[in-house]
Every structure is written in C-alpha cells, then in structure tokens.
Amino acid sequence: MTYFPSKKYLAQARDFLKNRVPIDGLGVQGHFKETISGAEIWSRLDQLAEPKIPIWVTELDYANKGQEKKAQFLQDALLAFFRLYKSDHRI
C-alpha cells in the first residue's frame, strides 16, 4: 500500500474477471515508511474493494522506530482493516 498503483491493479483484476479468470481475492502488502492515517488506509482499501472480491492484507509493518508512533499506526491500520471487513468487502 505504500506505492499504490491502484488503477493498474484494479484494471488487471477487472480484466481477469471480464475474461473469466478465477480470482480468489486481491493480495495487499502494507510496508510503510511514513505516517499514514487510518482514513487514508481505508480509502486505498475501499478503492481495491470495487471488484467485490476479498482483499487479503498479507503483510503489515511500519519503519518508524518510535514505539508510540508505531503503536498508534498499527491501531489505526487494524481499525481500517476491521472497518473494511465490516462493510462486507471481506478482508
């Protein structure tokens, strides 16, 4: 999610679905080097949810060395993931 080529990723998923290529879900790795809000994470995941197939966040890390900042980031990220899960996008 750090580098987020959403248009290309979504276009590929749509193309696969259009051509009846079976897709079990979209995989997302979350490697963050800078602070990003839970709202921004939600926004990015919500874009990926457009094809209505499950999203799997397979990795999540934050490079900041400050423990309090890292804890706050992880809390915000996990709440964004839970919000997506509760919105029927399945995560």
Side-chain angles (χ1 to χ4, degrees):
M1 282 186 286
T2 303
Y3 168 69
F4 193 68
S6 60
K7 290 181 183 178
K8 289 181 182 181
Y9 197 44
L10 285 174
Q12 184 179 35
R14 284 189 210 110
D15 189 49
F16 284 168
L17 293 168
K18 178 180 159 189
N19 290 299
R20 301 179 192 260
V21 175
I23 300 176
D24 293 325
L26 297 174
V28 176
Q29 296 180 6
H31 302 290
F32 296 92
K33 295 180 182 177
E34 56 194 50
T35 301
I36 181 172
S37 71
E40 180 64 22
I41 292 170
W42 161 255
S43 174
R44 292 177 184 191
L45 291 172
D46 192 48
Q47 290 174 42
L48 285 177
E50 183 262 321
K52 305 283 189 232
I53 56 178
I55 297 171
W56 289 307
V57 180
T58 59
E59 298 177 32
L60 175 64
D61 57 71
Y62 180 52
N64 190 301
K65 294 183 181 186
Q67 293 301 313
E68 288 183 31
K69 276 191 167 188
K70 190 178 285 191
Q72 184 63 54
F73 167 79
L74 292 173
Q75 177 180 333
D76 292 347
L78 292 172
L79 287 172
F81 300 157
F82 184 71
R83 182 177 176 198
L84 187 72
Y85 170 77
K86 293 299 277 184
S87 68
D88 276 343
H89 291 312
R90 297 188 292 174
I91 191 163

